[in-house]
């Protein structure tokens, strides 16, 4: 798959980009593992931050062993997906020598990110208070499952949070089992909140010279991300249930079967509904008292679904998508992931980039295929400087005090 697209400069990023990233000069000591923390630090690394990934000896980040699937060298694609633009250092934090090396690393950094169980970093002598006493301007980001209070002892796994946080209660069919999202969505959302909190704290530090602690947790992040469902409960006391692919407040806003595969209709207003009715050959639907307004359509959702299902059964999803979009009706087929990347390419949006091996970065460097960074910046686009590191690949480089990259002598 080509890595070059006919896209605006802000999307292009830089395998070839010279110039500075928005976060050039920022150094991050990343003690996090698995997903939420690594995703946050990868995004910051894409924008120019120098991220030093601190890993345990022998095994490193747990996701290195989470396979299949794996690349041709046997490295977990899970790990590869959230660890580009980082350098890896192995430190034994159970030994005082390793902890002292960690403190020395932090002394050269602007930000610490960690997602150990609350209290662990304090026991290691690497907690917020101790490190900030040494460096007042330090930003210290802690990521946990359920906060540092009464929930500190509860393990923070995405599936568990989807269950106890209510997401599974609204995911799945009404008469079926509660279902999780198809990816670790809560971890991803929490990683985004972590990166936002870090940037806010850096802005404050720029203005005052003072660092601070940033705390995010999976449960709070999920409750915030439940948006309209959470607001329905907070404001009106409504406890939502599972509705399959339907929407509690909009209709038709769900998937429908066609001759070949399902299609999604996201009809958000009366004008779009009138256009939908015209395209499916039943313009009178828009005048039917059962369907005249969105509130009417929600009240008669089942009847409307039966009518539309019958109409849509006459052709395939691609046909309906084409004619409906041409009429201004939001519609599209339910794609597989390969189709989704192909669709992004057709729209001129970046999907996949190939990061070449960095010869100056040591023998452990190898090329890597990656999903493109999602933020477009016109002046300082994301750059793909380093493929995901081998375990401890940069330990010697970093311990010898070369903070900004590969040893010039190795070039």
């Amino acid at each position: 798959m080509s890595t070059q697209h006919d896209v605006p400069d802000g999307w292009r990023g830089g395998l070839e980009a010279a110039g500075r990233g928005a976060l050039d000069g920022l150094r991050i000591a990343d003690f996090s593992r698995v997903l939420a923390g690594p995703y946050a630090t990868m995004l910051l690394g894409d924008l120019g931050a120098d991220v030093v990934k601190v890993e345990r000896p022998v095994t490193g980040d747990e996701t290195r062993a989470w396979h299949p699937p794996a690349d041709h060298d046997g490295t977990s694609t899970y790990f590869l997906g959230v660890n580009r633009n980082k350098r890896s250092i192995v430190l034994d934090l159970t030994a005082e020598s390793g902890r002292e090396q960690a403190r020395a690393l932090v002394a050269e950094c602007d930000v610490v990110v960690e997602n150990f169980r609350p209290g662990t970093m304090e026991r290691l002598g690497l907690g917020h208070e101790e490190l900030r006493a040494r460096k007042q301007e330090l930003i210290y980001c802690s990521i946990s499952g359920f906060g540092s209070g009464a929930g500190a002892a509860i393990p923070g796994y995405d599936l568990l949070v989807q269950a106890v946080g209510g997401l599974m209660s609204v995911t799945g069919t009404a008469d079926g089992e509660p279902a999780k999202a198809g990816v670790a969505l809560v971890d991803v959302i929490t990683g985004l909140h972590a990166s936002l909190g870090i940037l806010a704290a850096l802005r404050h530090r720029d203005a005052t010279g003072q660092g601070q602690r940033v705390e995010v947790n999976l449960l709070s992040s999920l409750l915030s991300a439940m948006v309209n469902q959470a607001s329905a409960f907070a404001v009106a006391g409504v406890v939502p249930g599972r509705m399959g692919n339907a929407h509690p407040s909009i209709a038709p806003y769900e998937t429908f079967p066609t001759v070949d595969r399902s299609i999604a209709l996201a009809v958000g207003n009366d004008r779009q509904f009138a256009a939908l009715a015209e395209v499916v050959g039943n313009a009178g639907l828009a005048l039917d008292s059962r369907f005249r307004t969105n509130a009417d359509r929600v009240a008669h959702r089942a009847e409307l679904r039966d009518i539309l299902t019958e109409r849509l059964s006459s052709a395939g999803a691609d046909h309906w998508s084409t004619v409906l979009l041409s009429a201004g009706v939001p519609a599209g087929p339910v794609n597989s992931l390969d189709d989704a990347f192909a669709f992004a390419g057709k729209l001129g949006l970046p999907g996949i980039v190939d990061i070449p091996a960095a010869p100056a970065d040591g023998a452990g460097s190898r090329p890597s295929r990656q999903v493109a960074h999602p933020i477009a910046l016109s002046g300082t686009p994301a750059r793909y400087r380093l493929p995901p590191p081998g375990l401890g690949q940069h330990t010697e480089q970093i311990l010898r005090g070369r903070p900004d990259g590969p040893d010039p002598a190795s070039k």
Side-chain angles (χ1 to χ4, degrees), residues 32 40 118 199 376:
S32 69
L199 293 176

Short mmCIF file of all heavy atoms in Angstrom, two decimals, residues 32 40 118 199 376:
data_model
loop_
_atom_site.label_atom_id
_atom_site.label_comp_id
_atom_site.label_asym_id
_atom_site.label_seq_id
_atom_site.Cartn_x
_atom_site.Cartn_y
_atom_site.Cartn_z
N SER A 32 4.94 4.01 31.36
CA SER A 32 3.65 3.34 31.15
C SER A 32 3.80 2.11 30.26
O SER A 32 4.75 2.00 29.48
CB SER A 32 2.62 4.31 30.57
OG SER A 32 2.95 4.67 29.23
N ALA A 40 -0.96 7.69 24.50
CA ALA A 40 -0.79 9.12 24.76
C ALA A 40 0.61 9.58 24.40
O ALA A 40 0.80 10.59 23.72
CB ALA A 40 -1.08 9.43 26.23
N PRO A 118 -1.79 2.53 41.73
CA PRO A 118 -1.51 3.64 42.63
C PRO A 118 -0.71 3.20 43.87
O PRO A 118 -1.03 2.19 44.50
CB PRO A 118 -2.91 4.14 43.01
CG PRO A 118 -3.73 3.84 41.79
CD PRO A 118 -3.20 2.53 41.28
N LEU A 199 -0.76 18.54 28.04
CA LEU A 199 -0.59 19.77 27.29
C LEU A 199 -1.12 20.97 28.08
O LEU A 199 -0.53 22.06 28.04
CB LEU A 199 -1.30 19.66 25.94
CG LEU A 199 -0.69 18.65 24.97
CD1 LEU A 199 -1.54 18.54 23.71
CD2 LEU A 199 0.74 19.01 24.61
N ALA A 376 -4.07 16.91 11.83
CA ALA A 376 -3.41 17.67 10.77
C ALA A 376 -3.02 19.05 11.31
O ALA A 376 -3.87 19.79 11.78
CB ALA A 376 -4.32 17.83 9.56
#
